[in-house]
Structures are given as C-alpha cells and as structure tokens.
Amino acid sequence: MAQKSDIEWTDATWNPVTGCTKIGPGCDNCYAERFAGRWRGIPGHPYEQGFDLRLWPTRLEQPLRWKKPRMIFVNSMSDLFHKDIDRAFVDRVFDVMERADWHVFQVLTKRSSLMRNYVRARYGERGVPLHIWLGVSVEDAAHAARIAHLKDIRSEARFISFEPLLGAIDDVDLRGIAWAIVGGESGPGARPMHPDWARRLRDICNRDGVAFFFKQWGGARPKSGGRLLDGEEWNGFPTKVVPKPILEALTG
C-alpha cells in the first residue's frame, strides 16, 4: 500500500511496516493510530489489525517499480526502528533503498539510539548513501537528546521534524543538520504551539545554516491555522544534499 502523499515535505509514502507503540508525548494524539483504528476488525482491510505492529514483505519492492524519482517517506504509519522489528527485516528495507537509488528516501524515527546503532553497524565509517535521509522527531526540550544521536550518524542528509512542537527548544546546536521541519499538532485534542517556539527554531536554523520548513500551525485540521509564520511561507529545502540527477528529475 503506497500512495501519493498530502504531506507537504514529501511526494509519496511507503509502508513496509505498519503499527507502532507510544514512547513519548509526541505520540499522545498519533494521527496514524487514529486512522488505523477506524478499520480494526474489518476482514480483508489493510488495517484489519488496527495499529498493531505488522510487517509487509510483499510491499518491500514497491519503490523498485516506481521509475520516476520521488521523495519517499518511509513508514509514515510506523517506525522502522521499533524494538520489535527484527533487524533482518530492517536490512531488507535498507537493501531496497540502496538499490532504488533514483529516489530520495526519508526515514524518520523517535527511536534515535536504535537508528544510530543500526546505521553504525551497517555502514561503519563509510557514511550513509546520500539518497537515504535519516531524521528524528523532537517534540520538546525533554527529547532533544535525539538530536545528539542523529549527529552521531555519518550522513550529510540528517533532518529533524519538530512536529508536533509541544514546547520551547532553546539553545540547541543544529550545525551539521541539513533540514528542520516545524509544525503544530492537528486533529482532535490538538495542543497549541506558541509562536515563539517556532520563531526560536527558525532563528536557530538561520544561525546554523539549516534549511527551515514551516509546515503548519495545526488545530482541528492540518490546514486550520494555515502555514504562515510572521506573514511568510518558509519552504526551506536542503538542495545541497540531494544528488544532482535526482534533484534535476524532481524539479525538472
């Protein structure tokens, strides 16, 4: 089950794994859990099992069949580094990403230390291929240690999703990060994002040379509050880390 994405910072989603478990306040109102839960118990539906963890080996080779280059968000409905996903299956996901090198793959996790350890074991001192982007979600200052784990990975294409941004994050060093995405929470019970939290991260990105993308204010629906910060759209994109043939295909 792959599909064109409505997420502003990607083109498509690829879910060789679905389902997850909560590990922090950023998970409290998880959109993926809410979506999957609607279909629990419906025989034959891809989310018959709701948001329980499930591996989908039949989906592994989907990106190899997509001939036009895309930005692909990996596991928008899960977390590839969940502790209950066997490392051999993670290997198979990375094998496909390495083979489909005409795409850019965006892998985002809250389990940052597990990602760091896996990548170190797989690539050693070689560094991660440039078309495989590795990122962490950071919702507040209490979880900023994920950034340090990310910076321990040898990659030029590291990114951070500060979404949902639930608290101020001050004095963080983002040097060496290629891209930062900031957004407020949306959906039932959405918690508000203070404008100063977003402004502070924008200013840090400007200081540290990080492309800054402001996704949304959030609210009852993703578009409820729009996506203007101080009257402007912020559409920063890390073009310097996109391999030139892929960049030309994506923008041509």
Side-chain angles (χ1 to χ4, degrees), residues 20-177:
C20 200
T21 52
K22 299 178 187 293
I23 61 168
C27 301
D28 288 348
N29 294 325
C30 176
Y31 76 92
E33 180 187 43
R34 188 167 63 248
F35 174 84
R38 298 173 186 170
W39 313 105
R40 182 182 289 277
I42 298 179
H45 193 279
Y47 290 102
E48 178 182 358
Q49 73 288 338
F51 206 51
D52 297 344
L53 193 70
R54 178 175 176 179
L55 309 186
W56 296 84
T58 58
R59 299 179 181 178
L60 280 168
E61 295 198 350
Q62 286 176 333
L64 297 171
R65 297 193 288 269
W66 301 341
K67 299 308 178 185
K68 182 179 178 180
R70 308 183 188 189
M71 304 279 295
I72 300 172
F73 181 15
V74 180
N75 281 353
S76 63
M77 297 294 290
S78 185
D79 187 326
L80 185 61
F81 294 98
H82 192 285
K83 64 182 178 63
D84 292 334
I85 299 175
D86 187 78
R87 176 172 168 171
F89 193 82
V90 179
D91 285 339
R92 295 176 69 185
V93 173
F94 269 78
D95 289 344
V96 170
M97 292 193 292
E98 290 175 6
R99 290 168 60 194
D101 60 2
W102 57 93
H103 299 305
V104 168
F105 292 92
Q106 300 158 304
V107 182
L108 186 63
T109 187
K110 288 183 174 69
R111 294 159 171 85
S112 52
S113 62
L114 297 180
M115 179 172 71
R116 176 199 59 195
N117 296 344
Y118 174 84
V119 170
R120 282 179 169 176
R122 184 178 182 94
Y123 294 108
E125 295 300 314
R126 291 180 290 145
V128 182
L130 195 56
H131 71 288
I132 300 176
W133 295 10
L134 302 178
V136 296
S137 296
V138 178
E139 61 266 45
D140 55 28
H143 295 87
R146 295 172 186 158
I147 299 173
H149 297 157
L150 180 64
K151 292 174 79 170
D152 282 341
I153 292 171
R154 294 179 62 86
S155 170
E156 296 178 45
R158 296 173 291 213
F159 72 103
I160 303 170
S161 174
F162 295 100
E163 184 188 10
L165 185 58
L166 302 178
I169 300 176
D170 293 320
D171 300 323
V172 64
D173 181 359
L174 296 184
R175 288 174 296 179
I177 303 300

Side-chain angles (χ1 to χ4, degrees), residues 230-252:
D230 292 335
E232 296 182 41
E233 279 193 7
W234 300 83
N235 296 313
F237 183 74
T239 55
K240 292 181 179 179
V241 301
V242 184
K244 186 176 180 181
I246 298 177
L247 182 61
E248 290 175 348
L250 291 172
T251 59

